Amino acid sequence: MEDDVNNEVKLDNSSNKPVNSWLQRLKDESWEAELLVSAIAIFGTFQLFDVVEWATNKFINVLNPSQYLVGYAIVFLGLFAISILASMFVIHFILRAYWIGLVGLNSVFPDYSIEDSAYSKIYTEKILSILPKLEDSIKKVDALCSVIFSAAFTFLSMYLYMALFAYVYLMIFNLLSSYVPTLILLIPLGLFIVAMLSQMVIGIVANLKKNKEKENLQLLYFKAVKYGSLIMIGPLYRSILQITMIFGSNFKKNKSLAFLMMSFLIVGMPLAVIQINKTNIPYLIKNGLSVESDALKVNPNYYQSENSNSTFLLAPQIESDIIKSEVVKIFIPIFDNEKKMSEETCDAYIEDTNKSRVEQRKERRLNALNCYQKYNTVYLDDGKKEIDFLKYTHPITKQFGIIGYMPLSNQKLGMHTITVKKEFSQDNISTWSIPFYYTQNN
């Protein structure tokens, strides 16, 4: 038993300190696991963009349009964070593959050679004077690869906590806004902002060269970081501070890490720009319902035939831009946030205790349908059309809405425009203009 223990520990002659051989062996062989995990992480991280898309659609559906900018801030920061995270793993994979190439090359050619060079001696010596040593490059690339995973863990942990905190807080805020005063509901947000600003301001002042020896200021900085981090990044603050402190306390030894972090931002920014156009995030920027569509532009989102793969509808939809039948079917999505916005437009249902539950349920549903029909109006060209709507769940997006059928038998052949208006009040009107070509079915 004692021999086994001794085999696991050896002495470092330079420092006479015991070094665990298993730990050293793990360090030497960790690149294999890193490369495998990196490939899996690249695939998994790109799947997180679907989570951002889901969160965006959720915010559009449940948030009041006045809060869309808050939802935009959350999902865009999430998108940017995931883009940086993806860039970390992509860069790690490239660097580790480059490192493997260097190690393999080093095993065949341990060093540069002047005597065996295919070039002249003068040229070879000049080129070698500007090139790093092969072993130095191997060690440097290996060090960069080894720290990327810790940086990724830190970044991901901070993002996940803050994103979840913001999402849960926003949902609770809307849930309790009708029962609890707004000032009380804003207390958690106020604490978060105060903690962030305090840590930022005190940190800038405390890290000035002239203030680094001031004990009281440094003690204040320590407390601001400790308690501020607990508020901002939750129960994982010790693990995150441990990693950030390792980076910060060794900054002067390896400043190339700072350039590595900058490369994550440089690669992550264009990736975020590419991904944002694949989601409905721009809808939150435009403040949703306050936007009026262009009547002279054909939008593929208005037609089921052109938008069959959509996962979330932002506007009304008809079957196609070319209508051959004498009836056109119109689907209008109903968002969850419309329930509260329609309270001023629609009359609330009043229960009649003299009626059975079945009768009351039927009347309640009819009242809701009448409400939808009251603030959703449809026009064909310049004339308003009275359409009877029915409740409907879209078969592709699974969204709830209403569906109506507009007759075209008396209309002339050619271009027409269907205009759909959601009118909750004079200041809250959304308009969509859907052009289509009416022709006979031959």
Side-chain angles (χ1 to χ4, degrees):
M1 182 68 179
E2 185 177 354
D3 293 338
D4 293 339
V5 175
N6 291 334
N7 289 334
E8 289 298 320
V9 180
K10 62 181 181 179
L11 292 178
D12 186 338
N13 295 328
S14 60
S15 59
N16 293 325
K17 294 181 180 179
V19 179
N20 291 330
S21 60
W22 67 268
L23 181 58
Q24 185 61 43
R25 187 168 63 252
L26 183 63
K27 291 179 180 179
D28 295 337
E29 299 176 357
S30 64
W31 66 269
E32 297 175 343
E34 283 184 23
L35 199 61
L36 177 62
V37 172
S38 181
I40 298 174
I42 291 173
F43 174 79
T45 303
F46 276 92
Q47 304 309 307
L48 291 177
F49 289 114
D50 293 337
V51 178
V52 173
E53 184 178 7
W54 173 85
T56 302
N57 295 338
K58 190 71 173 178
F59 282 150
I60 293 174
N61 187 42
V62 302
L63 291 183
N64 188 288
S66 61
Q67 297 178 331
Y68 275 179
L69 287 180
V70 179
Y72 164 74
I74 295 174
V75 294
F76 178 76
L77 288 177
L79 179 71
F80 189 52
I82 294 173
S83 299
I84 294 177
L85 192 64
S87 71
M88 285 183 179
F89 292 124
V90 170
I91 292 174
H92 173 272
F93 188 85
I94 295 173
L95 286 177
R96 185 54 78 182
Y98 174 58
W99 178 86
I100 293 173
L102 290 179
V103 171
L105 191 63
N106 182 247
S107 65
V108 179
F109 305 110
D111 203 350
Y112 303 109
S113 176
I114 297 178
E115 291 77 10
D116 299 325
S117 175
Y119 312 103
S120 69
K121 182 178 180 181
I122 297 175
Y123 174 81
T124 302
E125 289 178 345
K126 288 294 184 181
I127 286 293
L128 294 182
S129 66
I130 64 172
L131 297 179
K133 294 288 185 180
L134 188 57
E135 289 187 1
D136 293 342
S137 297
I138 291 174
K139 291 178 180 179
K140 188 174 182 180
V141 174
D142 184 48
L144 291 176
C145 290
S146 297
V147 301
I148 288 179
F149 272 97
S150 58
F153 168 79
T154 303
F155 195 79
L156 180 61
S157 300
M158 293 175 63
Y159 156 69
L160 281 178
Y161 176 80
M162 288 189 287
L164 287 174
F165 173 82
Y167 178 80
V168 173
Y169 173 72
L170 190 58
M171 294 298 103
I172 294 177
F173 183 93
N174 284 291
L175 184 65
L176 300 179
S177 59
S178 301
Y179 313 100
V180 181
T182 303
L183 290 177
I184 295 178
L185 293 175
L186 289 175
I187 291 177
L189 178 61
L191 290 175
F192 185 90
I193 294 175
V194 168
M196 181 179 64
L197 293 179
S198 299
Q199 184 172 326
M200 186 183 302
V201 173
I202 296 174
I204 293 174
V205 176
N207 284 305
L208 294 176
K209 188 175 182 180
K210 63 179 181 179
N211 294 329
K212 289 188 175 182
E213 301 300 325
K214 296 181 179 179
E215 186 176 350
N216 291 335
L217 180 59
Q218 296 302 319
L219 183 60
L220 177 63
Y221 181 37
F222 162 73
K223 291 181 177 179
V225 171
K226 178 181 177 180
Y227 297 110
S229 299
L230 180 60
I231 293 174
M232 291 188 294
I233 52 182
L236 291 176
Y237 84 101
R238 288 181 182 271
S239 299
I240 294 175
L241 284 179
Q242 182 182 41
I243 296 175
T244 55
M245 193 60 191
I246 291 173
F247 279 109
S249 60
N250 290 282
F251 174 74
K252 294 180 180 179
K253 289 183 181 178
N254 197 344
K255 294 184 179 180
S256 60
L257 293 177
F259 295 103
L260 181 64
M261 298 303 170
M262 288 297 298
S263 68
F264 297 152
L265 294 175
I266 294 173
V267 176
M269 289 175 65
L271 181 59
V273 172
I274 294 172
Q275 291 294 330
I276 195 173
N277 293 320
K278 297 180 180 180
T279 68
N280 291 322
I281 292 179
Y283 185 86
L284 293 171
I285 304 175
K286 299 174 183 176
N287 208 23
L289 295 176
S290 63
V291 179
E292 183 173 341
S293 63
D294 187 354
L296 302 178
K297 181 180 179 180
V298 175
N299 189 334
N301 294 326
Y302 296 158
Y303 312 102
Q304 186 174 351
S305 59
E306 304 291 331
N307 196 31
S308 58
N309 295 324
S310 177
T311 58
F312 190 83
L313 297 180
L314 300 173
Q317 188 179 80
I318 63 175
E319 299 160 276
S320 175
D321 57 334
I322 299 177
I323 302 297
K324 298 181 179 180
S325 63
E326 295 185 350
V327 176
V328 58
K329 182 170 63 175
I330 308 168
F331 173 75
I332 305 175
I334 303 294
F335 297 156
D336 291 349
N337 56 26
E338 295 182 21
K339 181 178 180 181
K340 191 169 185 178
M341 290 190 294
S342 64
E343 290 178 352
E344 298 179 1
T345 305
C346 305
D347 297 327
Y349 172 72
I350 301 176
E351 293 187 359
D352 188 348
T353 56
N354 296 323
K355 295 182 179 180
S356 65
R357 290 185 178 181
V358 175
E359 291 176 323
Q360 290 186 46
R361 187 185 302 114
K362 184 177 180 180
E363 290 184 354
R364 189 182 297 110
R365 291 172 178 173
L366 181 60
N367 182 76
L369 185 60
N370 290 335
C371 178
Y372 299 145
Q373 187 162 343
K374 188 172 183 179
Y375 68 80
N376 288 280
T377 53
V378 179
Y379 299 81
L380 180 60
D381 297 330
D382 295 327
K384 182 178 179 180
K385 295 293 182 179
E386 297 296 334
I387 300 178
D388 292 328
F389 287 103
L390 296 173
K391 294 180 182 179
Y392 186 75
T393 299
H394 197 279
I396 299 175
T397 66
K398 308 304 178 184
Q399 287 175 262
F400 173 75
I402 53 177
I403 190 169
Y405 303 88
M406 178 187 296
L408 300 175
S409 55
N410 296 326
Q411 302 298 321
K412 64 179 182 179
L413 303 180
M415 289 296 301
H416 295 275
T417 299
I418 293 176
T419 302
V420 179
K421 287 187 178 181
K422 283 183 181 286
E423 190 170 359
F424 299 101
S425 63
Q426 292 182 349
D427 300 326
N428 190 359
I429 302 175
S430 175
T431 304
W432 296 274
S433 296
I434 308 175
F436 69 95
Y437 190 89
Y438 177 47
T439 183
Q440 292 181 341
N441 189 356
N442 296 324

